[in-house]
Amino acid sequence: MRKGKWIALLLAAMLLLTACSTAGKPAGTQTPGQTVAPPTPFKLGLLIPLTGVFAAPGKYMQEGVQLLLQESDNKFAGRPVEVVTADSQGNPQAALTQARKLVEQDKVDAIIGPLSAAEGNALVQYLDGQQMPAVYPIVSSDDLTQRTIPKYIVRTGWTSSQTTMPFGEYAYKTLGYKKVATISYDFSFGWESVGGFVQTFQEAGGKVVKELWPPLNETNYQPYLSQIPKDVDAVFVSFSGSAAIQFVQQYKQFGLGKPLIAQGNTVDESTLQATGPSAVGVVTPLHYSAALDNPANKKFVADYEKAFGHGPAYYAEGSYVGAMVLKKALESLNGKSDDHAALVKAMKAVNLTDAPRGPVKMDEYGNPIQNVYIRKVEDVGGKLQNTVIYTYPNVSQFWSYDPKTFLAHPVFSRSYPTVK
Amino acid sequence: MEAQANMAVAAAPAAAESAPGEPVAALHLEDVKKRFGRLSVLESVSLTVPAGERRGILGPNGAGKTTLFNLITGELPLSGGTIRFFGQDIAPLSVQRRASLGLCRTFQTTTLFPKLTAVENVIVALQSQTRARFQVLRPRSWNRDLEARARELLTQAGLAAQSDREVRYLSHGEQRQIEILLAVAQKPRVLLLDEPTAGLAPGDVPLVTNMLKQLGRDVTMVLIEHDMSVVFELVDRITVLHYGRAIAEGTVEEIRGNALVQEIYLGGKL
Amino acid sequence: MRRYGLRLSLVLAGVAILAALPTLGLPPYYVSLFTQVFILGIAAAALDLLVGQTGVVSFAHASFFGVGAYTVAILCTRYNVSSYVITLLAAAAMATAVAALFGLVALRAEGVGFLIITLALNQIVWGLAYQWVAVTGGENGITGFFRPPIGPFAASNVNYYLYALAAMLVSVAVMWVISHSPFGLVLLGIRERPRRMRALGYNIWSYQYAAFLLAALFAGLAGGLFAYYNAFASPADLALPLSTQMLIMVILGGAGTLFGPLLGAAILIFLSNTFSSLTERWPTILGIVYVAIVMYAPEGLLGIAQKRLLPSLNTWLRLRQRREVSAAKQSESPGDAA
């Protein structure tokens, strides 16, 4: 029983320590700027899931930022960069608490993160309220940069339907599929991926004969696969992480014999090797592929492999580019980050020509206009990769639609667009 | 205690069902059976305990004595037969419903609230009889009358000094006494006592028997007990159970002289 | 009263310190962490009413918390209700209504059966929050509402901290009365000896049902406060991990102590947020801490404190008193002699 007391004391001591460690901090960050003072560090908050279901992609995000800092000699516009990493746990509530810590406790100058749409949405109001410049490199929920636009958040990633709208057209016109069934995650990422695809595929003349939505925690997809009509030309799916691995493997085993096409991160490099040979031949759209053949990407992949012992995935490239946008914006402001609105404005004005994914510039809604690559999984010397087979250049989140007409429609959901 | 005697008379709703002229029995069991799967524990037991009587139930281990109690209180469902409590068929009633009619029991193994004090234990039993049991937003320390009554009962039992100790720290004898106090606090009309002196040192037995002797005749008592001296001291009549049947019934003297009972107990010192 | 004298003064001192903390310069991040502790503390204490007092372990607690959160979020966004009283009462009422339904299903079973059913019910509510997009906003939850002013005061973080603190005090005071009421005594009896309680004429089911509803009521209230605190409601507010966390809070702090779960909430929230910024292995560290506490202080931290620290504090106070008295005597006696 004496031990119980000791543990209680230890815990109490730890609580005290955390309380004390805060006492000295706030004063230090606001040293008065002298004319020839050493540059104040730029504090970068990295808010990513390091635990929970998104821990693996979160790790890639961390590495992406790390690599850009290495290449930048750990300096943005001459200011040393101090990274404060916080674990968002893939949970909106935890993400918000950690955002509070980064802003109020660590007094960061900008935030990069988070990963999931739910986390991203939960932070909008807080970040805007605090006027905290934030880069969203991965969060892809369409409406974040559409109907109501946050003032302090810059998305350097993509919208879920940005890739699937061109892909719907590609599937009909180039791949020649007339009848397609879809199976996808039953939440917004899935609906938006499928919605974009269905929209343009139907407009081109294709027919979506069945839409299936397995629940989030489903691990056995047989019951859904058996509902697919036998006369479809292909099956379009949208999954990620372990669900993607399981689905792709089970699809192959089920033996439907129809081509599998998917949203890009279903066969993302982060899970591709684990998925194995079942993935070969899957055609997907995404704004990046580690197998992209351009000098910037070749260098990025080589450096990345050297630094971390494994290749990058889109999560890594995403946060690498996110950090790059922040860096360029700071450079354009000569390192001044006090005016947060100006920093955000500068980020939105960034025009990248040498990002691994290709050219990137922001539209007026704060979402990148960038290439969408149609990729096919191939086995190259025993290693799977997403070989780029076609490029849609400079695709906006509205695809070929007029933004006004596009925004007059509801956000893609289970019930929109309707399947004809 | 007086009040409850009145209640006992008033609350015999099914009195009309019994034969005219004959007083209503406190407990009337007819052809009671209990089977567990294919195992028959009680073959057929019929038993009538008139109000106010003290009845002993004897029988070797496995005769079905405790099972009989569990059937009467409703902890086990009947496999057959009827049980009437002051004329009322109680088979459809739940355990708590029967208890609130005044059919109360003690347990063979002490079943108290170990982490509550002696007073609190008795209060739990006392408040089951009052509207206090529904009070949610009122500290129970405001119910001074209940606490006073509980302390009075403990004092009567000679347990005043132990009142504020958690019962798990009390001696076995004291726990057995409180076991009975809880049932008494319920204002029983029929009290089923399952080996009240079980595990007691011989010197402590009178603590319990004296408590039971003090109970008024308004309480009908049915007693399972292995200690023959306790049985003979307390009861008016005895029913002997053997392999799930009531094989003999009579006064203490009759049972002492019953050859069949002698035989069953294999020369036991009845 | 004498029995509670020392405890009461400890509690009052604690409250005074907590109320003063923001003005004493508690950094804003800790203001928000404490606010979280107060709110989750209400829910954990309510769960303790069920786990510690009644002996019924429920995994559905987060669902009531979440229903409260969504009720507030929906009232704020769709009906523009700006009164805390109305929204929070509605949150508590909705949670209680859901519990009234769940209780009918879950309380048909006991022990592990009950546990599994509550677990399943919690999953159903979570699934509903995820899928019923028209009402709940799906996985993205409901955002886009703000805290209205608190009476004449602005809805600043510090004021909301005080508001949550007050809500916690009132809730816990009410729960204290409940746990010390005749009803509370019956719950304790049910926890320890259900068989005896039946034999005493108590309808166990209805008491457990009532306790289940009361726990849900406070969980709903807490959920409502949480929605205001976050300015959003999301499926994470009613996910199973939250149910588990609340149970951990109860066990860490000490089941059946009512105040212990508040301590448990503080430990869980502070440790997870502190460790998570030090290392990504923080769940492991927390796990080890929990296991250690459960192994070496199975009564929970407050249980241990009550058993070990309180008596020694009492003795110390008594000794000091005696010493003062004898010192006073000594100082008097020479005067007498002179």
Side-chain angles (χ1 to χ4, degrees), chain A residues 383-404:
Chain A
K383 203 164 174 286
L384 299 181
Q385 67 169 44
N386 282 303
T387 309
V388 175
I389 55 175
Y390 187 78
T391 302
Y392 282 95
N394 304 322
V395 176
S396 104
Q397 59 178 326
F398 304 111
W399 178 222
S400 58
Y401 302 100
D402 172 53
K404 284 207 183 69

Side-chain angles (χ1 to χ4, degrees), chain C residues 89-306:
Chain C
L89 280 181
M94 277 303 286
T96 315
V98 173
L101 195 69
F102 282 12
L104 290 179
V105 181
L107 279 169
R108 300 177 72 89
E110 289 174 45
V112 178
F114 176 83
L115 201 140
I116 299 293
I117 294 175
T118 52
L119 201 138
L121 289 171
N122 200 96
Q123 281 301 87
I124 290 173
V125 174
W126 179 82
L128 205 62
Y130 229 100
Q131 312 267 332
W132 196 9
V133 184
V135 171
T136 63
E139 139 235 33
N140 291 337
I142 300 174
T143 55
F145 58 96
F146 295 89
R147 286 198 290 264
I150 304 162
F153 306 106
S156 69
N157 282 351
V158 169
N159 286 343
Y160 196 67
Y161 166 101
L162 294 171
Y163 188 68
L165 176 62
M168 181 191 80
L169 290 175
V170 172
S171 304
V172 172
V174 172
M175 286 188 251
W176 188 90
V177 172
I178 291 173
S179 73
H180 287 76
S181 69
F183 171 83
L185 187 64
V186 175
L187 297 185
L188 280 179
I190 291 172
R191 183 191 72 189
E192 301 208 351
R193 292 280 183 253
R195 190 173 177 211
R196 164 66 83 175
M197 291 308 278
R198 261 183 227 113
L200 286 174
Y202 288 104
N203 185 339
I204 292 192
W205 184 90
S206 53
Y207 280 92
Q208 288 178 330
Y209 189 64
F212 194 67
L213 296 195
L214 281 171
L217 185 146
F218 286 104
L221 174 73
L225 288 167
F226 202 57
Y228 276 124
Y229 162 76
N230 286 325
F232 71 80
S234 82
D237 294 343
L238 35 69
L240 205 52
L242 187 62
S243 280
T244 320
Q245 276 184 7
M246 288 174 180
L247 276 172
I248 291 175
M249 289 173 188
V250 171
I251 292 161
L252 279 193
T257 59
L258 199 60
F259 294 99
L262 304 179
L263 190 66
I267 290 171
L268 195 94
I269 288 166
F270 276 95
L271 286 195
S272 62
N273 282 298
T274 308
F275 281 151
S276 77
S277 51
L278 297 178
T279 164
E280 64 206 63
R281 303 255 175 267
W282 63 270
T284 318
I285 298 180
L286 278 193
I288 292 169
V289 172
Y290 300 158
V291 169
I293 290 178
V294 171
M295 279 177 66
Y296 295 107
E299 310 96 323
L301 291 179
L302 197 70
I304 278 284
Q306 279 181 345

Side-chain angles (χ1 to χ4, degrees), chain B residues 80-268:
Chain B
T82 54
I83 299 179
R84 287 181 186 280
F85 177 73
F86 288 99
Q88 181 184 4
D89 182 3
I90 54 172
L93 303 184
S94 65
V95 178
Q96 60 265 21
R97 196 72 202 95
R98 296 181 204 199
S100 52
L101 288 177
L103 178 53
C104 306
R105 73 171 297 177
T106 68
F107 294 90
Q108 186 180 354
T109 47
T110 307
T111 307
L112 300 173
F113 310 105
K115 290 185 188 166
L116 301 185
T117 64
V119 171
E120 287 169 331
N121 266 269
V122 179
I123 289 177
V124 176
L126 283 175
Q127 74 182 20
S128 73
Q129 302 302 308
T130 68
R131 296 201 56 77
R133 67 185 190 278
F134 300 122
Q135 290 167 352
V136 178
L137 287 174
R138 182 188 152 95
R140 62 172 179 267
S141 54
W142 292 3
N143 293 334
R144 301 217 175 269
D145 47 333
L146 273 182
E147 182 171 340
R149 179 88 188 101
R151 287 188 188 281
E152 187 191 324
L153 281 171
L154 284 164
T155 309
Q156 280 169 12
L159 291 168
Q162 313 294 353
S163 298
D164 292 308
R165 295 181 67 197
E166 292 181 18
V167 297
R168 57 183 162 157
Y169 299 125
L170 301 189
S171 73
H172 184 65
E174 290 161 343
Q175 292 190 8
R176 292 310 289 178
Q177 283 181 280
I178 295 174
E179 178 80 22
I180 292 165
L181 267 190
L182 290 199
V184 170
Q186 272 177 279
K187 300 184 180 167
R189 295 166 70 200
V190 170
L191 179 56
L192 308 176
L193 296 152
D194 196 349
E195 297 195 34
T197 66
L200 283 187
D204 286 343
V205 171
L207 289 176
V208 169
T209 50
N210 289 340
M211 277 179 77
L212 295 176
K213 273 195 247 171
Q214 281 165 21
L215 287 179
R217 281 282 164 175
D218 51 334
V219 181
T220 308
M221 205 153 84
V222 182
L223 173 75
I224 297 175
E225 186 54 74
H226 278 303
D227 187 332
M228 293 306 155
S229 60
V230 172
V231 179
F232 296 148
E233 190 182 345
L234 288 176
V235 307
D236 307 321
R237 290 173 72 82
I238 292 174
T239 299
V240 182
L241 281 191
H242 186 58
Y243 284 117
R245 287 178 183 279
I247 53 158
E249 188 186 314
T251 63
V252 172
E253 297 313 316
E254 285 165 6
I255 294 297
R256 267 193 218 260
N258 186 310
L260 185 57
V261 176
Q262 295 277 7
E263 190 185 317
I264 287 164
Y265 276 81
L266 285 172

